[in-house]
Amino acid sequence: MSLDACHRVTFKDGIECLLAGDVDAGKAVLRDFINATVGFQELGGLTAKSPKSLMRMFGPNGNPQAWNLFEVIRCLQEHEGFHLKIQSVR
């Protein structure tokens, strides 16, 4: 598996954790993804948010508002050049 493919899987896993209600795990996985790809400094520029604020948001005690979380997810997808699609499964 290439590094890009590995990053996509990590990103997808983080989103799946969030959707399953495991917010702490989802934030931790997304934090690892951010550190391995864009970094908090550059993500701060993409989102017009302080890198320190973003680090706190994805830290163990962070409690991101949905608006901020979805903005970060959008920016990460755009920066990395891929987009996840949600599909219903029974």
Side-chain angles (χ1 to χ4, degrees):
M1 183 180 302
S2 73
L3 193 56
D4 268 357
C6 183
H7 286 157
R8 281 192 294 272
V9 169
T10 301
F11 185 75
K12 180 178 113 5
D13 289 347
I15 300 301
E16 286 178 349
C17 286
L18 292 173
L19 292 173
D22 192 349
V23 176
D24 290 336
K27 289 187 313 178
V29 171
L30 290 176
R31 183 182 182 100
D32 289 345
F33 175 83
I34 293 165
N35 281 321
T37 57
V38 65
F40 282 98
Q41 202 63 30
E42 188 172 348
L43 182 59
L46 295 172
T47 60
K49 298 189 185 326
S50 156
K52 286 185 180 188
S53 175
L54 291 168
M55 283 186 252
R56 282 192 302 274
M57 184 187 316
F58 288 96
N61 297 319
N63 188 17
Q65 293 181 353
W67 179 268
N68 291 326
L69 185 59
F70 288 124
E71 174 65 10
V72 167
I73 291 168
R74 183 195 64 76
C75 284
L76 290 172
Q77 289 182 101
E78 189 173 292
H79 183 270
E80 295 302 312
F82 63 83
H83 296 277
L84 296 179
K85 290 186 179 182
I86 306 300
Q87 183 175 0
S88 170
V89 178
R90 287 194 185 252

